[in-house]
């Protein structure tokens, strides 16, 4: 299965350095699993590769000209045909941007079917997806997991650029955010099992605090208009 990073493979092991451990945990929790590799654009010698081919005998994989194109293709042609009304996503770095863009463009298809989205060290910015309806949906269903100092481990912060609450991993090495926070991600998912995923059912409802669900945590952040002051603004989760 696909590698998260070479450093994890070398410093830890194959299970933690690849999506193997994530797939195993998901299967143990009763989920069906689909793993995407949006970075492999070419088909060479009977397999996908992320390396630019040097051989003449290769093909560009249809629907995989870019990460955004690949994720959009899979969501519109495969995932939307699933019978499940409870869909969970885990996405990493630029893959998270590609996923959020696909969800934004296919919002009507997925707004009532997605239970939770966990993005790890995501490169997205919420300003790229300006629709207020989507921004609210994202803040209620998306959670970020980011590297941080050890002293901030477990702290939850609202990140304006991300448009959602983000959980600090307590590791300054961003590769290890995966290792540190994966158990928390699955607790987040379990807390959403069986939820009525119709957006209209919860969009205007005050959420009850759940320690396993980072979207329900009340957070504070400095008001940019009062930089240098002690003023802080509370951001409730609705």
């Amino acid at each position: 299965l696909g590698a998260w990073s070479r450093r994890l493979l070398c410093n830890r092991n194959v299970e933690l350095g690849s999506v193997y451990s994530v797939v195993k945990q998901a299967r143990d929790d009763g989920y069906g699993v689909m793993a995407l590799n949006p970075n492999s654009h070419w088909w060479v010698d009977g397999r996908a590769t992320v390396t630019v081919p040097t051989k003449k005998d290769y093909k560009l994989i249809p629907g995989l000209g870019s990460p955004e194109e690949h994720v959009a293709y899979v969501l519109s042609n495969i995932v939307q045909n699933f019978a499940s009304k409870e869909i969970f996503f885990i996405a990493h770095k630029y893959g998270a941007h590609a996923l959020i863009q696909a969800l934004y463009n296919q919002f009507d298809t997925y707004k009532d079917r997605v239970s939770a989205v966990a993005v790890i060290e995501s490169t997205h910015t919420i300003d790229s997806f300006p629709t207020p309806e989507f921004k609210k949906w994202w803040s209620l269903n998306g959670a970020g997991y980011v590297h941080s100092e050890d002293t901030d481990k477990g702290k939850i912060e609202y990140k304006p650029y991300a448009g959602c609450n983000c959980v600090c991993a307590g590791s300054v090495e961003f590769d290890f955010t995966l290792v540190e926070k994966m158990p928390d991600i699955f607790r987040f998912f379990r807390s959403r099992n069986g939820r009525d995923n119709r957006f209209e059912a919860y969009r205007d409802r005050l959420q009850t605090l759940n320690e396993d669900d980072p979207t329900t945590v009340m957070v504070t952040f400095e008001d940019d208009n009062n930089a240098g002051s002690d003023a802080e603004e509370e951001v409730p989760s609705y």
Side-chain angles (χ1 to χ4, degrees), residues 45-121:
D45 293 335
R47 60 179 296 179
T49 178
V50 299
T51 306
V52 178
T54 57
K55 297 182 177 181
K56 293 182 179 180
D57 186 18
Y58 71 88
K59 295 180 180 179
L60 184 66
I61 301 173
L64 193 44
S66 68
E68 294 92 336
E69 182 183 356
H70 177 55
V71 176
Y73 178 89
V74 172
L75 263 63
S76 62
N77 290 278
I78 301 175
V79 178
Q80 77 165 9
N81 297 321
F82 291 170
S84 176
K85 294 182 179 179
E86 295 183 74
I87 301 174
F88 299 81
F89 290 103
I90 297 175
H92 186 226
K93 293 186 178 178
Y94 195 77
H97 165 79
L99 171 63
I100 297 168
Q101 178 172 297
L103 291 172
Y104 176 75
N105 290 331
Q106 301 177 45
F107 185 54
D108 288 341
T109 300
Y110 285 99
K111 67 178 181 179
D112 297 330
R113 299 183 65 188
V114 172
S115 296
V117 184
V119 293
I120 305 165
E121 301 292 353

Side-chain angles (χ1 to χ4, degrees), residues 31 83-89 107-117 137 140-141 188-189 191-203 205 207 213:
Y31 298 109
S84 176
K85 294 182 179 179
E86 295 183 74
I87 301 174
F88 299 81
F89 290 103
F107 185 54
D108 288 341
T109 300
Y110 285 99
K111 67 178 181 179
D112 297 330
R113 299 183 65 188
V114 172
S115 296
V117 184
W137 179 89
L140 295 174
N141 292 286
F188 173 34
F189 286 2
S191 75
R192 293 292 185 94
N193 284 338
R195 185 188 71 162
D196 182 351
N197 281 336
R198 292 175 301 126
F199 188 30
E200 64 180 21
Y202 62 83
R203 58 171 293 168
R205 186 176 65 197
Q207 303 296 312
D213 184 344

Side-chain angles (χ1 to χ4, degrees), residues 138-152:
W138 171 247
S139 71
L140 295 174
N141 292 286
Y145 296 83
V146 297
H147 66 283
S148 71
E149 298 292 339
D150 180 67
T151 53
D152 289 332

Side-chain angles (χ1 to χ4, degrees), residues 4 8 12-13 15-17 21 120 169 173-184:
W4 292 119
L8 279 176
R12 295 297 180 92
N13 53 55
E15 285 195 17
L16 292 177
S21 60
I120 305 165
E173 303 289 345
F174 63 84
D175 298 66
F176 293 92
T177 303
L178 285 157
V179 177
E180 296 292 340
K181 303 317 293 182
M182 199 57 69
D184 290 355

